[in-house]
Amino acid sequence: MSENNTMDMKVEVAENNKEIVPEIYDEMGIIGAATKVTGNITTKGHVTVMGTVKGDISAKGNVIISGSVTGKIKCSNLLFESGVLTGDIEANNLVSINESVTLTGAIICKDITVVGTVLGNITATGKVGLASTAVVKGDIKSAQMGMEMGAKLDGKISIA
């Protein structure tokens, strides 16, 4: 496929999906494992944090964490692969919390899958899924919820 066809595809996707901002294709920030950032990060694109961030992160794209973040995160999708996250989360779409990780803070999103631990309230306009290894210490408000045997919940559930 030629470079021109690739560009046409990006524009076509952006026009067909109003939620996708064309600029997010052009910007990807990576905080390396040995990097420490003190201060806020704002981007039109995506951010991957393998190092340490002490500050808020605001991204129109996705945020992937496999390091340490202390601060609020506002993004399209959040994937918390490993590490430590302390701060409130506001995601327009999906939040995914992997096994063996702990997120301390409130979460507001469309859909969420919890395989690890959340210490805080979860508010989802769509679905909440708790895997058998999930631990949630906080209240859950959502439109739909699924919970596997073995999941632990210390809080109230409200389905609207």
Side-chain angles (χ1 to χ4, degrees):
M1 188 179 290
S2 74
E3 186 177 338
N4 288 340
N5 288 339
T6 303
M7 292 299 290
D8 291 341
M9 285 178 43
K10 288 180 185 179
V11 171
E12 182 179 329
V13 170
E15 288 172 0
N16 290 336
N17 187 345
K18 301 292 185 200
E19 293 180 344
I20 296 177
V21 179
E23 294 89 28
I24 68 174
Y25 289 106
D26 299 331
E27 196 169 314
M28 175 66 164
I30 298 175
I31 310 299
T35 304
K36 295 179 183 179
V37 175
T38 301
N40 299 333
I41 297 171
T42 302
T43 180
K44 293 179 183 177
H46 310 288
V47 176
T48 298
V49 178
M50 295 181 284
T52 302
V53 174
K54 291 185 180 183
D56 298 342
I57 298 174
S58 179
K60 290 192 184 222
N62 304 324
V63 174
I64 300 170
I65 299 172
S66 59
S68 173
V69 175
T70 303
K72 296 178 184 178
I73 298 177
K74 186 174 181 178
C75 60
S76 181
N77 298 292
L78 173 73
L79 174 57
F80 186 19
E81 294 181 330
S82 62
V84 179
L85 177 53
T86 304
D88 295 342
I89 307 302
E90 186 179 333
N92 295 334
N93 296 303
L94 176 67
V95 172
S96 180
I97 312 296
N98 283 359
E99 193 172 7
S100 302
V101 297
T102 301
L103 186 152
T104 304
I107 302 169
I108 298 173
C109 60
K110 180 179 176 189
D111 299 316
I112 183 169
T113 302
V114 181
V115 184
T117 301
V118 174
L119 306 175
N121 296 333
I122 298 172
T123 302
T125 58
K127 302 173 191 172
V128 172
L130 304 182
S132 61
T133 55
V135 176
V136 176
K137 293 186 179 185
D139 297 341
I140 296 176
K141 294 179 186 177
S142 71
Q144 297 178 358
M145 183 169 166
M147 188 170 168
E148 291 182 353
M149 289 285 268
K152 295 175 178 72
L153 172 63
D154 182 6
K156 299 175 188 175
I157 300 172
S158 175
I159 305 295

